[in-house]
Each structure stands twice: as structure tokens, then as C-alpha cells.
Amino acid sequence: MHFEQLDFVYMPSRHVAADVAYFTDVLGASLIFAIDGTGTRVAMVELTDGPPRLLLAGHLAGETPILVYRVADLEATLDQLEAAGWTRERSFEIPQGPCCSFTAPGGQRIAVYERSRPEVEAHFAGRRDF
């Protein structure tokens, strides 16, 4: 089993626009996109030249962020995790590809995804809905 990289930290946000202003104006983050659609707001910011990028998400329940790791082969990784005693929770799609999230026994939220659509980030880059 091999986690390639921590690509994203999905962070719950009660007020995405205010959080974007704080991250960009106070912390100096670069705003990649800010999308208002399907009943929620999501913004991607980056504080460093490399990953992880931060996603401020109005639709994300709870207080705990989700660490989103890229893997080369999602199904193989999930099979290996299950063989080690892990139980599947929720599979879904993110714009970059198929994903599965779960909560570790200590309450940490983790997701693994296969980057099958790498071009999607360029599609959203520069979009500013708010």
C-alpha cells in the first residue's frame, strides 16, 4: 500500500468568503478558485508552492478537516486496506477522480483518491464566483 502524496486538506467553513479573505489577506495565500454552485461554496487556496492545497468547503459537516491522499490505484489500495482490517465507509467522486473517505479510530478523517482527471484543476483555476 502506498500513499503517494497529501494533495488536499478539506476544511469545514462556516463562512467561505470570510475564510478566503483571511487566508489571502492575512496569511498571504494564493486563491486558486472560489466556486458558488449546487447550494454550497468551495474555495481552493495554497500557502506554499507545493501540496497540500487547502479547500475551504461550506458543505463539509463537522469540525475536523479531511486529509486527502493521492494513490496510484484506488481499488488496489482499498483492497489492501481491507486486508489490514480497515472497513470501507463512503465512496464518491471528487472532480479529480474516484475517492473513498473514512474516519480513523482516533477521529481523524482521511480520504484516498485516484487522480484520473488531472486536467480538472486547470479548468477551475481562476474562477471567482464570490
Side-chain angles (χ1 to χ4, degrees):
M1 174 173 23
H2 181 70
F3 287 39
E4 292 182 348
Q5 180 170 289
L6 175 62
D7 280 347
F8 310 108
V9 177
Y10 254 90
M11 301 176 67
S13 174
R14 292 186 190 124
H15 194 289
V16 178
D19 289 341
V20 165
Y22 179 80
F23 275 85
T24 57
D25 299 343
V26 176
L27 299 180
S30 298
L31 178 61
I32 306 302
F33 62 73
I35 298 172
D36 187 349
T38 62
T40 192
R41 287 183 164 184
V42 177
M44 179 183 282
V45 298
E46 63 182 1
L47 286 162
T48 62
D49 290 334
R53 288 182 165 172
L54 306 179
L55 287 149
L56 304 166
H59 65 280
L60 191 57
E63 300 282 327
T64 306
I66 301 173
L67 306 176
V68 184
Y69 288 90
R70 182 177 355 131
V71 297
D73 184 326
L74 182 62
E75 282 305 314
T77 299
L78 297 179
D79 289 345
Q80 291 171 347
L81 287 168
E82 285 180 323
W86 169 84
T87 302
R88 285 183 196 233
E89 284 186 13
R90 184 169 174 246
S91 294
F92 52 94
E93 293 283 327
I94 61 174
Q96 295 83 357
C99 186
C100 184
S101 67
F102 57 96
T103 303
Q108 301 84 7
R109 294 166 65 176
I110 301 168
V112 290
Y113 85 102
E114 183 177 328
R115 191 174 183 186
S116 59
R117 295 181 290 272
E119 73 286 349
V120 78
E121 286 182 43
H123 172 75
F124 289 120
R127 182 170 164 181
R128 307 284 193 278
D129 293 352
F130 59 93

